[in-house]
């Protein structure tokens, strides 16, 4: 039976992890003997070895992602001997642990001790760039599927496991993964990351995060960049940080090559092997300043934008450890057009984590005139789009109904106002007028004022009490308290209620403000933006969040260097900055209020 006939007859209607599952005869996922005495054993190693790159079958490592309290995505990608190889069988091996192991050497020792659980086979298809995802523990997804070897386990909340993939006689590196906790949860610890431009610097920040004891990592976008320049003078392990290919990525092959280059980076690969990742894209995974119908960095001679966007999304879903909700196209294995990246995660009764797409699915084109374009106040302008906005309203309502202690929005662009000039806000005919009259950046929520007001209204109407917004994109660090009209704080008025807090994570490598002006800007910004309690505008790092039942601790940590190979993973401890947000306050404790006289 040929592969495409198999896909049409055996896998139509199944979502991705079932699609790659292979039954005992190598074709039918519902026709399998058990692992002992099966009349149809797994594919002989010698046969698989003939399909593999003899220099190494797993050059891009392993990763885990999208954890729930019962399941987790495990990912890898294989390197074939030649591009004509249609499909490669691969087996999953895993070991359940009582607690995480901090030392990677301990992972090897634990695998050597055994016993090892095996599950498979799974199939890496050429049309999926030879990538494989297994949704380990997801009983509902796999249904009655019987595997050539092993049985799908039932995973508990907070379950740690070690895993690796095996193709023929070649094993991948080992990874460690963990499901989310369930029930009454006392605390959860995670890091937020964004903006990792490969030629702009070494991934020292990723190594810093790898060393942290975390439950998961949230990547807020710009995981990779589309450009083709830079990096020639920067080396890691003797290899220049020049992009591959050395041109702007536009075609499918170019997006795949760029994903492969990033996954081969030693620090990013080690981070993926250590912590589960919950990721959303921003714009550079496609091209700069993207929106629903186009992008600033897409030119007419680069082809059809929608085709380019679909190509980029296909590569992203193939190469990231994301859970997919719709079946792939049976002929091309391209993601279903209905597939969206916004989704949510429940961390027991402690936290509802709602991940948004403020970039691709619903965004109108950015306002044309920088800072003052009146179109940004247009009530019809959208950043989320109708469907996502309705979905967000439902998720916020569910968070309230569950009595989640914290409600967290993970998204891309700055939510709080970044004003040059602001006036007291008035309401006329159900429209909020004035407010942030002149803003700095039309690409963030300031360019979509009505959309932000709609979200503020959701928060107030539903009664969300402890809102946290996680943001990337801007390459700098910010602690922002969220007010509808923050000018009311000027003059020392602290009576206006904060609706939440925003934590903006700095970049991994992408450039911030020039050194010579960054400190001055940080000093001047709060004069008209008293809701901005902290900013650091030039240094690379991440935000570490320790969320507890009665308080949330936020710490910005910064890398000593992103150009010195000997300083990879070394923190500049003198720059560390921490705040506490007490439950029910929506304020950064330790941030001094500004008492600036009113100018009128």
């Amino acid at each position: 039976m040929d592969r495409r006939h198999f896909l049409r007859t055996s896998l139509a209607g199944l979502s991705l992890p079932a699609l790659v599952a292979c039954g005992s005869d190598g074709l039918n996922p519902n026709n399998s003997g058990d692992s002992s005495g099966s009349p149809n054993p797994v594919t002989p190693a010698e046969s698989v070895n003939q399909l593999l790159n003899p220099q190494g079958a797993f050059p891009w490592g392993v990763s885990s992602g999208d954890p729930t309290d019962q399941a987790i995505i495990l990912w890898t990608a294989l390197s074939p001997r030649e591009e004509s190889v249609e499909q490669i069988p691969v087996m999953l091996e895993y070991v359940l642990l009582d607690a995480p192991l901090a030392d990677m050497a301990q992972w090897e020792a634990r695998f050597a001790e055994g016993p090892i659980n095996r599950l498979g086979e799974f199939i890496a298809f050429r049309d999926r760039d030879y990538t494989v995802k297994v949704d380990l523990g997801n009983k509902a997804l796999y249904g009655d599927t019987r595997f050539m070897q092993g049985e799908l386990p039932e995973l508990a909340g907070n379950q740690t496991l070690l895993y690796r993939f095996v193709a023929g006689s070649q094993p991948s590196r080992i990874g460690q993964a963990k499901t989310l906790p369930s029930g009454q949860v006392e605390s959860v610890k995670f890091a937020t990351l964004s903006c990792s431009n490969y030629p702009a610097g070494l991934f020292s920040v990723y190594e810093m995060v790898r060393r942290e004891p975390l439950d998961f990592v949230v990547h807020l976008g710009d995981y990779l960049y589309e450009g083709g320049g830079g990096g020639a003078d920067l080396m890691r392990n003797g290899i220049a940080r020049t992009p591959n290919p050395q041109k702007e990525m536009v075609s499918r092959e170019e997006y795949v090559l760029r994903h492969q280059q990033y996954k081969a980076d030693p620090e990013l690969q080690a981070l993926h092997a250590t912590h589960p990742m919950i990721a959303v894209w921003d714009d550079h995974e496609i091209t700069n300043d993207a929106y629903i119908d186009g992008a600033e960095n897409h030119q007419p001679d680069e082809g059809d934008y929608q085709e380019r966007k679909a190509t980029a999304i296909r590569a992203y879903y193939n190469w990231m450890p994301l859970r997919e909700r719709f079946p792939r196209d049976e002929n091309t294995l391209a993601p279903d057009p209905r597939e969206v990246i916004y989704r949510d995660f429940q961390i027991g009764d402690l936290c509802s984590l709602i991940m948004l797409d403020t970039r691709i699915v619903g965004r109108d084109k950015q306002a044309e005139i920088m800072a003052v374009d009146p179109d940004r106040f247009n009530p019809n302008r959208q950043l989320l789009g109708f469907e996502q906005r309705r979905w967000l309203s439902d998720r916020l309502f569910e968070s309230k109904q569950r009595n989640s202690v914290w409600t967290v929005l993970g998204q891309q662009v700055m939510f709080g106002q970044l004003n040059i000039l602001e006036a007291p806000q008035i309401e006329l005919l159900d429209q909020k007028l004035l407010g942030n009259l002149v803003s700095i950046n039309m690409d963030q929520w300031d360019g979509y004022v009505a959309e932000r007001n709609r979200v503020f209204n959701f928060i107030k109407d539903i009664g969300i009490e402890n809102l946290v917004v996680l943001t990337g994109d801007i390459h700098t660090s910010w602690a922002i308290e969220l007010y509808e009209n923050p000018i009311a704080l000027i003059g020392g008025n602290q009576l206006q209620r904060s609706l939440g807090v925003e934590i903006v994570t700095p970049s991994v490598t992408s450039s911030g403000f020039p050194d010579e002006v960054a400190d001055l800007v940080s000093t001047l910004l709060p004069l008209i933006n008293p809701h901005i309690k902290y900013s650091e505008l030039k240094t690379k790092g991440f935000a570490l969040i320790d969320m507890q039942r009665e308080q949330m601790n936020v710490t910005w940590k910064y890398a000593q260097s992103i150009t010195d190979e000997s300083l990879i993973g070394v923190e500049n401890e003198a720059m560390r900055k921490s705040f506490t947000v007490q439950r029910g306050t929506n304020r950064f404790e330790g941030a001094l209020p500004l008492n600036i006289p009113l100018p009128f």
Side-chain angles (χ1 to χ4, degrees):
M1 183 184 295
D2 68 58
R3 177 176 65 91
R4 298 206 186 279
H5 180 66
F6 159 58
L7 290 175
R8 288 192 295 272
T9 58
S10 300
L11 300 175
L14 297 180
S15 53
L16 174 65
L19 184 146
V20 297
C22 182
S24 65
D25 60 359
L27 297 174
N28 189 344
N30 296 309
N31 178 20
S32 174
D34 60 28
S35 59
S36 59
S38 169
N40 296 297
V42 297
T43 309
E46 296 80 6
S47 300
V48 180
N49 286 339
Q50 297 302 310
L51 306 175
L52 300 172
N53 184 345
Q55 303 302 314
F58 298 96
W60 303 293
V62 298
S63 64
S64 65
D66 279 11
T68 71
D69 61 0
Q70 297 179 331
I72 189 165
I73 295 289
L74 305 178
W75 174 97
T76 195
L78 290 100
S79 178
R81 181 179 294 269
E82 53 189 33
E83 293 183 2
S84 62
V85 172
E86 284 278 350
Q87 57 193 55
I88 304 172
V90 61
M91 184 76 66
L92 174 69
E93 297 185 339
Y94 65 95
V95 176
L96 301 180
L97 301 179
D98 294 328
L101 300 174
D103 188 344
M104 288 184 174
Q106 293 177 303
W107 302 357
E108 295 281 355
R110 183 63 184 83
F111 253 93
E113 289 173 12
I116 298 172
N117 300 290
R118 293 182 174 85
L119 187 67
E121 289 178 335
F122 297 87
I123 297 296
F125 288 118
R126 182 177 64 179
D127 286 343
R128 274 193 48 86
D129 311 327
Y130 306 103
T131 62
V132 172
K133 295 180 190 178
V134 178
D135 199 347
L136 194 69
N138 195 333
K139 294 277 188 179
L141 175 62
Y142 287 104
D144 296 328
T145 298
R146 298 180 64 198
F147 296 90
M148 296 173 71
Q149 192 166 119
E151 295 182 357
L152 193 73
E154 292 187 7
L155 300 181
N158 222 25
Q159 173 70 65
T160 301
L161 62 129
L162 300 175
Y163 68 98
R164 69 184 179 194
F165 292 86
V166 178
S169 58
Q170 293 195 48
S172 72
R173 72 178 297 162
I174 297 171
Q176 183 169 256
K178 188 167 71 167
T179 60
L180 295 178
S182 59
Q184 181 170 317
V185 177
E186 297 301 318
S187 66
V188 67
K189 193 173 184 181
F190 59 94
T192 61
L193 291 160
S194 73
C195 304
S196 41
N197 190 357
Y198 186 88
L202 305 176
F203 288 163
S204 182
V205 173
Y206 282 150
E207 175 59 16
M208 291 170 61
V209 174
R210 183 195 70 80
R211 297 175 184 178
E212 296 281 349
L214 302 173
D215 292 288
F216 54 88
V217 170
V218 176
H219 203 296
L220 296 164
D222 291 344
Y223 178 94
L224 48 71
Y225 278 67
E226 81 276 21
D233 298 328
L234 193 61
M235 307 291 285
R236 177 70 176 113
N237 292 336
I239 301 172
R241 304 283 288 186
T242 53
N244 184 28
Q246 292 188 46
K247 65 180 293 292
E248 183 179 334
M249 57 184 187
V250 175
S251 70
R252 177 184 172 186
E253 179 186 23
E254 290 160 357
Y255 280 99
V256 170
L257 287 172
R258 194 66 55 84
H259 275 279
Q260 290 175 340
Q261 181 177 41
Y262 275 66
K263 284 292 196 301
D265 177 89
E267 280 67 57
L268 177 53
Q269 193 171 123
L271 171 66
H272 272 304
T274 306
H275 299 304
M277 181 176 285
I278 297 172
V280 287
W281 53 52
D282 193 12
D283 53 344
H284 288 290
E285 290 88 348
I286 299 169
T287 192
N288 184 56
D289 282 357
Y291 51 96
I292 191 169
D293 294 323
E296 176 274 335
N297 194 32
H298 182 79
Q299 312 308 321
D301 62 357
E302 292 175 323
D304 179 73
Y305 174 73
Q306 295 300 337
E307 182 177 337
R308 179 181 186 179
K309 180 171 72 171
T311 293
I313 288 173
R314 174 175 181 167
Y316 188 88
Y317 270 103
N318 284 353
W319 285 89
M320 297 295 288
L322 298 168
R323 181 169 287 107
E324 301 174 30
R325 287 165 285 183
F326 292 96
R328 293 290 185 106
D329 182 276
E330 65 182 49
N331 292 311
T332 67
L333 299 189
D336 188 287
R338 295 170 295 174
E339 194 74 70
V340 293
I341 204 168
Y342 57 82
R343 62 210 192 278
D344 65 307
F345 302 85
Q346 191 64 33
I347 305 167
D349 64 347
L350 181 66
C351 173
S352 296
L353 174 59
I354 303 167
M355 303 298 292
L356 300 177
D357 178 356
T358 60
R359 178 58 67 182
I360 301 301
V361 72
R363 173 191 281 258
D364 289 325
K365 186 178 181 180
Q366 294 86 344
E368 295 286 347
I369 305 172
M370 184 62 68
V372 296
D373 195 325
D375 191 48
R376 65 194 180 91
F377 296 102
N378 183 337
N380 296 318
R381 281 177 59 76
Q382 300 187 75
L383 188 64
L384 300 173
F386 175 77
E387 290 297 333
Q388 184 178 195
R389 192 165 61 246
R390 181 175 63 181
W391 175 88
L392 172 59
S393 177
D394 290 343
R395 300 294 80 73
L396 290 171
F397 181 76
E398 288 177 359
S399 178
K400 181 67 175 181
Q401 292 297 103
R402 291 190 184 108
N403 293 314
S404 293
V405 177
W406 303 92
T407 300
V408 180
L409 304 183
Q411 52 97 57
Q412 293 81 0
V413 294
M414 187 181 288
F415 187 80
Q417 300 91 335
L418 187 53
N419 291 313
I420 299 175
L421 176 65
E422 186 180 23
Q425 193 174 78
I426 60 174
E427 189 163 327
L428 182 66
L429 300 177
D430 295 326
Q431 294 295 320
K432 292 183 174 65
L433 305 177
L434 300 180
N436 57 330
L437 294 178
V438 183
S439 295
I440 294 173
N441 187 351
M442 297 297 97
D443 190 52
Q444 58 196 46
W445 288 78
D446 281 341
Y448 303 81
V449 174
E451 190 82 301
R452 180 169 56 204
N453 287 337
R454 285 187 282 264
V455 175
F456 274 141
N457 289 338
F458 289 163
I459 294 163
K460 292 186 298 182
D461 293 346
I462 293 170
I464 299 296
E465 296 178 352
N466 297 290
L467 178 75
V468 180
V469 179
L470 307 177
T471 298
D473 180 69
I474 200 169
H475 306 175
T476 44
S477 306
W478 309 72
I480 303 174
E481 294 173 358
L482 298 173
Y483 299 90
E484 291 184 278
N485 194 200
I487 195 175
L489 300 176
I490 293 181
N493 176 14
Q494 296 294 308
L495 298 179
Q496 185 179 181
R497 178 174 176 265
S498 172
L499 296 177
V501 297
E502 182 172 14
I503 300 163
V504 183
T505 187
S507 70
V508 174
T509 61
S510 302
S511 60
F513 279 61
D515 287 357
E516 57 270 19
V517 301
D519 293 339
L520 176 62
V521 173
S522 280
T523 301
L524 295 178
L525 274 172
L527 298 180
I528 196 65
N529 295 276
H531 57 303
I532 296 176
K533 303 304 180 181
Y534 167 68
S535 64
E536 203 291 331
L537 305 180
K538 59 186 178 182
T539 314
K540 314 311 166 195
F542 67 98
L544 179 66
I545 298 168
D546 182 2
M547 192 168 278
Q548 304 170 16
R549 299 191 73 81
E550 297 302 323
Q551 67 182 39
M552 176 179 65
N553 302 313
V554 186
T555 302
W556 282 264
K557 293 189 175 186
Y558 298 100
Q560 188 75 39
S561 173
I562 61 166
T563 58
D564 188 336
E565 213 170 349
S566 69
L567 293 176
I568 288 176
V570 177
E571 180 191 356
N572 185 342
E573 295 186 13
M575 290 191 63
R576 188 182 295 183
K577 185 68 174 180
S578 297
F579 292 105
T580 296
V581 179
Q582 298 291 340
R583 179 175 178 176
T585 67
N586 292 329
R587 295 183 187 273
F588 288 102
E589 192 173 274
L592 296 176
L594 289 175
N595 291 296
I596 304 170
L598 289 171
F600 47 82

